[in-house]
Amino acid sequence: MDYEVHSNVKAVIQKLTSLDSVKKALTFLKEDHENSISDQLELVQIPAPTFHEEKRAAYMTETFRKLGLTDVHIDRNGNAVGVRKGRGNGPKILIDGHMDTVYPMDTPLHPRRDEDYIYCPGITDDTRACAAMLTLIRALNHANIETEGDIIFMGSAREEGRGAFGGIKGFFDDNKDIDAAVCMDGCGIGQIIYQSTGFKTMEVTFHGIGGHAYGAFGEVANPLHAAARAVAKIADLQVPSNPKTTYCVSNFHAGNDAGIHAIVPSASIKINYRSNGQKELEQLDAEIARCIKEACQEETKRWGRDEITYTIETYCDVPAGSLDQHDPIVEAAWESITFLGKKPGLVEGGPTNASIPISRGIPAVCIGDEVGMETFCHNAASERFPVKDTWQMPQLAMLIALASAGVLEEIKSIL
């Protein structure tokens, strides 16, 4: 794409990457790669399904202390947090990677390595980012880099699934003084996520009286039929392709085999819908609500004997948002990727931890080439980590963070 970095940001990255201390840190990150892999192998064998990240949080905070971070703690949201203090003259920057994986607690975690890959559930998403934070801290220490602003490192909880970015959401609720964030999710560099894909996930339960499938027929309305009407209506919805907007009824449940001859008293569906535009997300939300209400009304009218009602439990509700394509942190990411010898690109949308600060107007990017990893992530049988050159993700995170926090007596913050 045709993208031009402004001269002031270009000058900052050029000066930053010319500093002897930064060169030393970049070299260290490459040379420390096998140590980082060792951290990753230890971490991946600690089960951490969403809502059960405690042992990984303990590992991260123990290591943060060993590396000299201050104010190390596990916060009320389950996040592992540590601070690398600056001089207090610059912005506060968060570097984040989520600790949770999508796999159940009893998933076998036995890493296997060949020449090109390490294979293990969770090895990339997002264990790599947690290990990358540790090597990044070692690099900053090794090169004695002092920053103007504080850099906060965080292994965040509850990113996946029903966790709904709960860890980082709670962190930003509690810390109103964070000026920017660099989220790592994946293992590579190249793609820059600078938007928040808004999304909502909810369970809708349809309620009725229930009864015998034969004896109560015609006497009561059927909640399962109301649910089916709702699904059919939702399936016919038209949504825009730009901004990308999607929906999916992902679960439909009612009854059991023991009651196969029964009209169920309740039936439930689960729905996930997303959009890169907040207006479009709100319009889709209203349309889905209409489908549900009409389905209940139609099923009630069909039999005319009792009323089908419904309740909704919302699991996730994340607003859409976007930085300007030329926000300084986006440009710094672009220029840094170019410096590291890769071709940068901007990703349209992206449900990542960066969604939370972005949706609140706080500069943030997600790096790690998460987009495109679907072929081998979230699949216990095939998740793998490409070993070659993956020291570049912590290199990129460091450059963006230093450009944002400022380097003592050398670089003023781009923010």
mmCIF file of all heavy atoms in Angstrom, residues 283 299 316:
data_model
loop_
_atom_site.group_PDB
_atom_site.id
_atom_site.type_symbol
_atom_site.label_atom_id
_atom_site.label_comp_id
_atom_site.label_asym_id
_atom_site.label_seq_id
_atom_site.Cartn_x
_atom_site.Cartn_y
_atom_site.Cartn_z
ATOM 1 N N GLN A 283 -26.144 -1.109 14.830
ATOM 2 C CA GLN A 283 -27.270 -1.428 13.946
ATOM 3 C C GLN A 283 -27.529 -2.929 13.919
ATOM 4 O O GLN A 283 -28.691 -3.370 13.955
ATOM 5 C CB GLN A 283 -26.980 -0.909 12.541
ATOM 6 C CG GLN A 283 -27.021 0.599 12.427
ATOM 7 C CD GLN A 283 -26.547 1.113 11.074
ATOM 8 O OE1 GLN A 283 -25.884 0.401 10.317
ATOM 9 N NE2 GLN A 283 -26.883 2.362 10.759
ATOM 10 N N GLU A 299 -44.208 -17.046 17.724
ATOM 11 C CA GLU A 299 -44.472 -18.359 18.320
ATOM 12 C C GLU A 299 -45.625 -18.264 19.311
ATOM 13 O O GLU A 299 -46.466 -19.168 19.400
ATOM 14 C CB GLU A 299 -43.213 -18.896 18.999
ATOM 15 C CG GLU A 299 -43.369 -20.257 19.666
ATOM 16 C CD GLU A 299 -43.702 -21.384 18.685
ATOM 17 O OE1 GLU A 299 -43.493 -21.210 17.456
ATOM 18 O OE2 GLU A 299 -44.172 -22.439 19.157
ATOM 19 N N CYS A 316 -19.567 -11.002 26.271
ATOM 20 C CA CYS A 316 -18.539 -10.087 25.791
ATOM 21 C C CYS A 316 -19.209 -8.898 25.123
ATOM 22 O O CYS A 316 -20.157 -9.071 24.363
ATOM 23 C CB CYS A 316 -17.621 -10.750 24.762
ATOM 24 S SG CYS A 316 -17.073 -12.413 25.163
#
